[in-house]
Amino acid sequence: MTTAPISTATAARAELTALLRDVEVGLADHLALESARRAHPDPRGALPVLDIAALVHAGGKRLRPLFCLTGFLAAGGVPGSLPVPAAMAVELLHIGALIHDDVMDDSSLRRGAPTVHARHALEHKENRWRGEPRRYGEAMAILAGDLAWTYADGLMAGYGADVAREWCEMRSELCSGQALDVVAAAEFAADPLLARHIAVVKSGRYTIQRPLTLGALIAGRPDLAPAFAVYGEALGEAFQLRDDLIDAFGSSDLSGKPAGLDFAQHKMTLLISLAMRHNAEVRALVERQAFDELRDHLVVSGALEAVEDHIGDLVRTARTAIAEAPISDEWHDELCVLAVQVAYRDR
Amino acid sequence: MTTAPISTATAARAELTALLRDVEVGLADHLALESARRAHPDPRGALPVLDIAALVHAGGKRLRPLFCLTGFLAAGGVPGSLPVPAAMAVELLHIGALIHDDVMDDSSLRRGAPTVHARHALEHKENRWRGEPRRYGEAMAILAGDLAWTYADGLMAGYGADVAREWCEMRSELCSGQALDVVAAAEFAADPLLARHIAVVKSGRYTIQRPLTLGALIAGRPDLAPAFAVYGEALGEAFQLRDDLIDAFGSSDLSGKPAGLDFAQHKMTLLISLAMRHNAEVRALVERQAFDELRDHLVVSGALEAVEDHIGDLVRTARTAIAEAPISDEWHDELCVLAVQVAYRDR
């Protein structure tokens, strides 16, 4: 399954499309070069590179490169090679995070194909190798994720101190937010404030706010950071909430990953935490893994509607923030269109 | 258990000792600041920082900072704050690698205390949280390792392009080498050349050659890279071979990690691969996990002696390389002393 990038509607976005193409070429070249280098003296030294390349080539929305490049262009950055390494880096960071995430969630499917740890575990089993297939699969996935982050960092090395600070902050808050997510799922206590915080830091900021701000900083426009922060944080939260709804109500065919995984993993999403606060039965339904009943309950109880309302508020917040930002009308419009596309996407 | 840094014998190394102290202070301050920042709004957001801090404070030989600073000083770098962030970074890189490594090896003990994944899995079990204790422990360890690498990268951000390249290479070859190690253990085929390559890339280069070279590059002395490469690669391999011997014949009390772990994990060390090549019985002893018999066999068959001879050759290679390097007599002597200390350490 290949997920197409979010469509680019206006002529003004030709620049963006061209840069996004450079990102694709850059990623393919970088990984081809590295897999050739790592294949000596033993071809298996390239295995983690090939795992990364498979995920890159399987598609994905490329949302983070899109926002990084949008931030750069909206800030008046002159197209050239300057923002492309950073846009490649945010995608590789995402790939590394996905690979590690899939181990942490024990997810079987990603971008329509078996996850890295699942594939390696199966290979181990089929070959009757020494040790435990699960451990082997996890080890290979940990290394592939580590390597993806290494490449991402290498690509970010040439930028200035403010870009480096933002980049470091982006990754630290991601790790910290993920840890909160894991702990909250284990404890499984209804806490909408915590659920919202997790949505903001572990996914929202890193998907939209930080890539946008990186782009603006690379273009030499730190003055845009406050407006991009409000826009990006609000829209980022909307993005994560939509992700929760797609997981809960969507199909695996569309998303390229298993449906209902958050339920199965006891994820304390805002959807679940709101529903749990109003009705104790929700906890029992999750515990029993009675997903159909749970979905009905989320609709009937109004939890789904409350999350949709919240998404609507977040999109309005994002659009208001960008209306006041010192950027061209053209890029103002583009960012408003992107807000709606991200918040109301179906996969 | 606290492992003391390798002793500093000469008066000339006062500079080095002072810089190593700066590294300790820097690490403690950095982690204290970060754990305070990540504790808001939820204290559990700081958990991965605390995992890193616990390992830093548990001691360790600080070999990588030692070689990074030695490379800097031997290259004529003027002491100051310049090399300290890099020396902190190589230790944090090591901490992250250890945390991930312990998951991959399912090791229970590190620096004399339970490993990160083991500790979190136990906490999960004791609290009867949702989900699987093992998965929870591994997730928390993956995140702590990711965060340690993030901090390491943040500290490396201020250096020039040649330092950035070396830093990226150091981490890519580590990931690739680790993958080879994992695959070789799973397949468990006797291959001394592969075993030697793994020893060089996954551990040797990253422990000695790369930190030394980073230090020289930070001091603005790329001309030292070739001599440091020969010294570092040879001594790095000796370091890893000694590690294998300590694992095979040492005690857990001294090393701070479980003894015999390589045997249990079917690690294709040079020791094992040499022994296997000469005698098919070795494979059976590893398969049966008959460790006492295996140790006897390694001694009687001459495999232990062959590895010790190889270590001796490597130390000679390292000392010859450094004798020809354009550095002061004082630092030449120090590097020779370090070579012996590293190759013949007992933990």
Side-chain angles (χ1 to χ4, degrees):
Chain A
M1 192 209 67
T2 301
T3 317
I6 282 187
S7 70
T8 55
T10 70
R13 283 172 84 186
E15 305 180 293
L16 180 57
T17 308
L19 288 178
L20 279 168
R21 205 159 36 226
D22 291 347
V23 169
E24 293 305 311
V25 174
L27 286 171
D29 287 353
H30 184 78
L31 293 168
L33 192 72
E34 271 294 307
S35 75
R37 284 184 66 214
R38 297 295 161 207
H40 296 285
D42 190 300
R44 296 167 298 184
L47 284 174
V49 193
L50 298 176
D51 287 333
I52 298 169
L55 262 169
V56 166
H57 297 312
K61 295 181 286 290
R62 304 287 195 258
L63 266 186
R64 291 149 199 89
L66 176 71
F67 278 105
C68 176
L69 296 170
T70 298
F72 175 80
L73 293 171
V78 180
S81 67
L82 206 57
V84 170
M88 291 164 63
V90 290
E91 184 64 15
L92 286 168
L93 177 70
H94 183 51
I95 299 255
L98 290 179
I99 295 172
H100 283 181
D101 223 25
D102 286 337
V103 174
M104 296 190 261
D105 291 345
D106 192 24
S107 184
S108 57
L109 214 59
R110 172 66 69 180
R111 294 183 176 175
T115 50
V116 174
H117 72 285
R119 189 158 35 74
H120 282 292
L122 185 66
E123 192 191 8
H124 186 285
K125 204 171 166 180
E126 286 176 350
N127 284 291
R128 298 166 184 271
W129 282 333
R130 267 71 181 178
E132 189 198 31
R134 170 176 167 179
R135 180 81 51 197
Y136 176 84
E138 288 166 357
M140 295 304 278
I142 288 172
L143 292 168
D146 287 348
L147 187 61
W149 279 35
T150 298
Y151 291 154
D153 281 310
L155 289 161
M156 292 302 294
Y159 297 105
D162 54 349
V163 173
R165 253 194 313 276
E166 184 77 10
W167 173 246
C168 191
E169 185 62 20
M170 177 176 179
R171 290 171 301 149
S172 331
E173 79 186 352
L174 174 60
C175 296
S176 168
Q178 289 272 47
L180 272 182
D181 194 34
V182 168
V183 173
E187 299 188 2
F188 201 53
D191 188 342
L193 271 181
L194 178 60
R196 189 172 168 198
H197 174 70
I198 291 170
V200 168
V201 298
K202 89 154 214 185
S203 170
R205 276 199 203 142
Y206 128 92
T207 304
I208 300 174
Q209 180 194 342
R210 301 282 178 201
L212 260 182
T213 306
L214 280 174
L217 293 176
I218 291 167
R221 290 286 304 275
D223 62 299
L224 286 177
F228 280 2
V230 177
Y231 172 92
E233 187 163 319
L235 187 57
E237 189 184 347
F239 168 81
Q240 179 57 43
L241 294 174
R242 180 60 59 202
D243 217 48
D244 295 345
L245 293 180
I246 292 168
D247 183 83
F249 296 98
S251 88
S252 173
D253 281 357
L254 280 175
S255 68
K257 48 189 181 181
L261 195 65
D262 290 342
F263 293 161
Q265 296 283 331
H266 300 96
K267 279 293 162 71
M268 185 48 59
T269 63
L270 187 60
L271 179 70
I272 289 292
S273 68
L274 284 173
M276 272 172 68
R277 211 170 43 163
H278 293 111
N279 195 320
E281 202 191 339
V282 168
R283 173 189 292 274
L285 292 173
V286 175
E287 303 277 12
R288 278 176 28 221
Q289 308 266 299
F291 296 159
D292 286 336
E293 279 176 79
L294 180 58
R295 282 186 197 96
D296 290 346
H297 190 282
L298 293 171
V299 175
V300 174
S301 70
L304 171 60
E305 203 184 326
V307 170
E308 285 287 5
D309 285 350
H310 189 47
I311 290 176
D313 289 343
L314 290 165
V315 170
R316 273 184 292 280
T317 301
R319 295 176 71 141
T320 304
I322 220 63
E324 293 159 5
I327 59 172
S328 71
D329 287 350
E330 192 179 43
W331 283 103
H332 165 263
D333 293 349
E334 287 302 332
L335 283 160
C336 287
V337 170
L338 275 176
V340 173
Q341 287 181 336
V342 164
Y344 297 101
R345 75 193 191 285
D346 61 1
R347 64 185 69 180
Chain B
M1 191 209 67
T2 302
T3 316
I6 281 186
S7 69
T8 55
T10 69
R13 281 172 86 188
E15 307 179 292
L16 179 58
T17 307
L19 288 177
L20 279 168
R21 205 158 37 224
D22 291 347
V23 168
E24 293 304 311
V25 173
L27 286 171
D29 287 353
H30 184 78
L31 293 169
L33 192 72
E34 271 294 308
S35 74
R37 285 183 65 214
R38 296 293 159 209
H40 296 283
D42 190 299
R44 295 167 299 184
L47 283 174
V49 192
L50 298 175
D51 287 334
I52 299 168
L55 262 170
V56 166
H57 296 311
K61 294 181 285 291
R62 304 286 193 258
L63 265 188
R64 291 148 199 91
L66 175 72
F67 277 106
C68 177
L69 296 170
T70 298
F72 175 80
L73 293 171
V78 181
S81 66
L82 208 57
V84 170
M88 290 164 63
V90 291
E91 184 64 15
L92 285 167
L93 178 70
H94 183 51
I95 298 254
L98 291 179
I99 294 173
H100 282 181
D101 223 25
D102 286 337
V103 173
M104 296 190 264
D105 291 344
D106 193 22
S107 184
S108 57
L109 214 58
R110 174 65 71 180
R111 293 183 177 175
T115 50
V116 174
H117 72 285
R119 190 159 34 75
H120 282 291
L122 185 65
E123 193 192 8
H124 185 285
K125 203 171 168 183
E126 287 176 350
N127 285 289
R128 296 165 185 270
W129 283 332
R130 267 73 182 176
E132 189 198 30
R134 169 175 167 179
R135 180 80 51 195
Y136 176 84
E138 288 167 357
M140 296 302 279
I142 288 173
L143 291 168
D146 288 348
L147 188 61
W149 279 35
T150 298
Y151 291 152
D153 280 308
L155 288 161
M156 291 304 293
Y159 297 105
D162 55 348
V163 173
R165 253 194 313 276
E166 184 77 10
W167 173 243
C168 191
E169 186 62 20
M170 178 178 179
R171 290 172 301 151
S172 329
E173 80 186 350
L174 174 60
C175 295
S176 169
Q178 289 272 47
L180 272 182
D181 193 34
V182 168
V183 174
E187 300 189 2
F188 202 54
D191 187 341
L193 271 181
L194 178 60
R196 188 170 171 199
H197 174 69
I198 291 171
V200 168
V201 298
K202 87 152 217 191
S203 172
R205 277 201 201 140
Y206 127 94
T207 303
I208 299 174
Q209 180 193 343
R210 301 282 178 201
L212 258 182
T213 306
L214 279 174
L217 293 176
I218 291 168
R221 289 286 304 277
D223 63 297
L224 286 177
F228 281 2
V230 178
Y231 172 91
E233 188 164 315
L235 187 57
E237 189 183 347
F239 168 81
Q240 179 58 43
L241 294 174
R242 180 60 58 201
D243 217 48
D244 296 345
L245 294 181
I246 291 169
D247 182 83
F249 296 98
S251 88
S252 174
D253 281 356
L254 280 176
S255 69
K257 49 191 181 178
L261 195 65
D262 290 342
F263 292 162
Q265 298 283 333
H266 300 94
K267 280 292 162 69
M268 184 48 62
T269 62
L270 187 61
L271 178 69
I272 289 291
S273 67
L274 284 173
M276 273 173 68
R277 212 169 44 162
H278 293 112
N279 195 319
E281 200 192 341
V282 169
R283 174 190 292 275
L285 292 172
V286 175
E287 302 278 12
R288 278 176 30 222
Q289 308 269 298
F291 296 159
D292 285 337
E293 278 176 79
L294 179 58
R295 282 186 197 95
D296 289 347
H297 190 281
L298 292 171
V299 175
V300 174
S301 69
L304 169 61
E305 201 183 329
V307 171
E308 284 286 8
D309 285 350
H310 190 46
I311 290 175
D313 289 344
L314 290 165
V315 170
R316 272 185 291 280
T317 302
R319 295 177 70 140
T320 305
I322 220 63
E324 293 159 6
I327 58 172
S328 71
D329 287 350
E330 191 179 42
W331 283 103
H332 165 264
D333 293 349
E334 288 301 332
L335 282 159
C336 288
V337 170
L338 275 175
V340 174
Q341 287 181 335
V342 164
Y344 298 100
R345 75 194 192 283
D346 62 1
R347 63 185 68 183

